Amino acid sequence: MHFKITNLNFNVKQNIPDKSGIYKLIAVDCEGIPRPINRFLDEDREGILYIGKSENLRKRLNNMRRAFLPKYKSSKHIAVRR
C-alpha cells in the first residue's frame, strides 16, 4: 500500500493501517513540489529528508503529526518541527 499525506489534517484511524511499515519524509515547497536537498556528493531532487520504519505505522505518523503542532513541547521530535 502507498499513502501520500500532504497536510496535517489526515485521519490516522481511517487511512493508515495499524501494522508495521516504511515511511518517507520529503521536503516540499508551499505548492507541494519536492525541494531539492544538497547532499555530500550530489543533489537529491526528490527532497527526501528521512526514510524510516515502524512497528506500528499509525502510531508513528500520529506522533509525527502531533510534533508539528505549535503547542507540542517534547524534544523527541524537535527536528520534525524545524
Side-chain angles (χ1 to χ4, degrees), residues 39-58:
R39 302 285 185 213
F40 180 67
L41 297 175
D42 201 2
E43 184 178 73
D44 176 10
R45 295 177 194 267
E46 292 183 47
I48 297 173
L49 296 172
Y50 184 77
I51 298 174
K53 70 176 187 175
S54 175
E55 295 295 320
N56 187 324
L57 195 55
R58 182 184 295 170

Side-chain angles (χ1 to χ4, degrees), residues 4-60:
K4 183 176 183 180
I5 300 169
T6 57
N7 61 45
L8 299 177
N9 296 325
F10 64 94
N11 187 332
V12 177
K13 291 184 179 180
Q14 288 182 355
N15 301 327
I16 309 300
D18 192 13
K19 299 179 180 180
S20 62
I22 297 172
Y23 59 95
K24 181 169 47 172
L25 293 178
I26 299 174
V28 296
D29 62 15
C30 60
E31 297 173 359
I33 299 170
R35 293 183 57 180
I37 303 292
N38 291 324
R39 302 285 185 213
F40 180 67
L41 297 175
D42 201 2
E43 184 178 73
D44 176 10
R45 295 177 194 267
E46 292 183 47
I48 297 173
L49 296 172
Y50 184 77
I51 298 174
K53 70 176 187 175
S54 175
E55 295 295 320
N56 187 324
L57 195 55
R58 182 184 295 170
K59 285 183 181 179
R60 179 67 175 131

